[in-house]
Amino acid sequence: MGPPPLAHPVASPSSSSPASSPRPRRSTTGLVCLALIGLLLFSVFCALGTWQVHRRAWKLDLIARVDQRVHAAPTPAPGPADWPRISADGDEYRRVRLDGAWLDGKDTLVQAVTDLGSGYWVLTPLRLADGGIVLVNCGYIPADQRQAARPAPAAPPVTGLLRITETGGGFLRKNDPAADRWFSRDVAAIAAARGLPAGQVAPYFVDADADAHAAPAAPVGGLTVIQFHNSHLVYAITWYGLALMVVIAAFYVARDERRRGASADAAGGLER
């Protein structure tokens, strides 16, 4: 007879398989690195959220100030002595009044898209009594009136909204003075192209109000669009939400680490 068959080993209750072995704890260095990264992200997200809160407060204050300017009675337009202090925050959309004389033959057509359709703004220089020159946006004309004769603007005084110069051109389109092609109301460039005296042209232009008595085919004024993009609250909530996600992630990492430690301690006790 042959030798008896070998008995299969029976696993003792204390033995553990790889599948049931506890997960090893993370190294201290790894935990410190995770904590530093989490703290950095939390700080950055909170800072960005707070910045957006401040930006929202600034934007709401700007909107309130602009609304007050638009509905105020017109005041004399700033003269040469005030030009160095003109700024977008302090002066844009002020309702102003201009009195002087038009400079004929120096109109400039600037491409425009309005509620009335695509066409051009008609910018005409006006010389003030103090010698300064202000470009006045007399209004909109359709594209098919580019070559048509336009009636002369109404005699001053002119009322309208003060606007800050728009340098450079439009989106992906640069002004081309040599070809007399304009995509933005760039005061300095237009003044140079029209041969207006340097230093005598205001650093702003004026959007003229609508004229109820304008002649047919005259530019249509009063089309200024006053709109401010204000999504700062959404941005703030987004950044603070990301900061909260970092805190939640840190909580889960800490809980998982405690479970790993408890499993390792239990496994050590069974081995003993």
Side-chain angles (χ1 to χ4, degrees):
M1 296 179 60
L6 296 175
H8 293 287
V10 179
S12 64
S14 61
S15 64
S16 60
S17 63
S20 61
S21 60
R23 290 178 297 170
R25 301 186 67 173
R26 297 182 180 89
S27 67
T28 302
T29 302
L31 290 175
V32 170
C33 289
L34 282 177
L36 292 176
I37 293 173
L39 181 61
L40 176 63
L41 291 175
F42 178 80
S43 301
V44 170
F45 292 151
C46 283
L48 290 172
T50 302
W51 177 62
Q52 288 297 335
V53 169
H54 291 310
R55 289 281 296 173
R56 179 175 182 270
W58 169 81
K59 184 64 69 64
L60 292 176
D61 178 67
L62 175 63
I63 292 172
R65 285 187 282 119
V66 167
D67 185 69
Q68 183 179 18
R69 294 173 197 164
V70 168
H71 295 94
T75 58
D82 299 318
W83 291 350
R85 295 186 292 274
I86 296 294
S87 67
D89 286 351
D91 298 281
E92 190 155 30
Y93 300 110
R94 281 175 53 187
R95 186 165 293 283
V96 297
R97 183 179 66 254
L98 300 166
D99 202 353
W102 297 108
L103 299 182
D104 297 329
K106 296 185 180 295
D107 290 349
T108 300
L109 300 183
V110 180
Q111 289 198 8
V113 177
T114 73
D115 292 339
L116 301 179
S118 299
Y120 298 93
W121 299 121
V122 181
L123 269 67
T124 305
L126 185 148
R127 185 181 294 278
L128 305 176
D130 58 13
I133 298 173
V134 176
L135 289 182
V136 177
N137 176 16
C138 296
Y140 160 85
I141 60 170
D144 57 9
Q145 291 185 16
R146 177 184 176 94
Q147 304 299 335
R150 292 180 296 277
V158 176
T159 61
L161 300 178
L162 185 151
R163 303 293 307 279
I164 301 300
T165 182
E166 302 167 345
T167 59
F171 179 67
L172 298 179
R173 297 178 299 181
K174 291 185 178 181
N175 292 328
D176 186 356
D180 201 25
R181 188 178 297 115
W182 303 94
F183 301 100
S184 72
R185 292 163 289 191
D186 188 331
V187 170
I190 292 174
R194 293 295 174 264
L196 300 177
Q200 296 184 22
V201 181
Y204 59 86
F205 63 95
V206 172
D207 279 344
D209 292 334
D211 185 358
H213 305 289
V220 180
L223 297 179
T224 305
V225 176
I226 303 174
Q227 185 176 6
F228 295 93
H229 182 68
N230 186 13
S231 298
H232 299 295
L233 180 59
V234 174
Y235 298 152
I237 292 174
T238 300
W239 291 122
Y240 284 139
L242 290 172
L244 179 61
M245 290 176 64
V246 172
V247 174
I248 294 173
F251 168 78
Y252 278 106
V253 169
R255 188 179 68 173
D256 182 65
E257 191 60 24
R258 285 197 301 270
R259 288 179 176 176
R260 289 175 184 238
S263 298
D265 293 342
L270 290 175
E271 291 177 358
R272 290 194 294 271

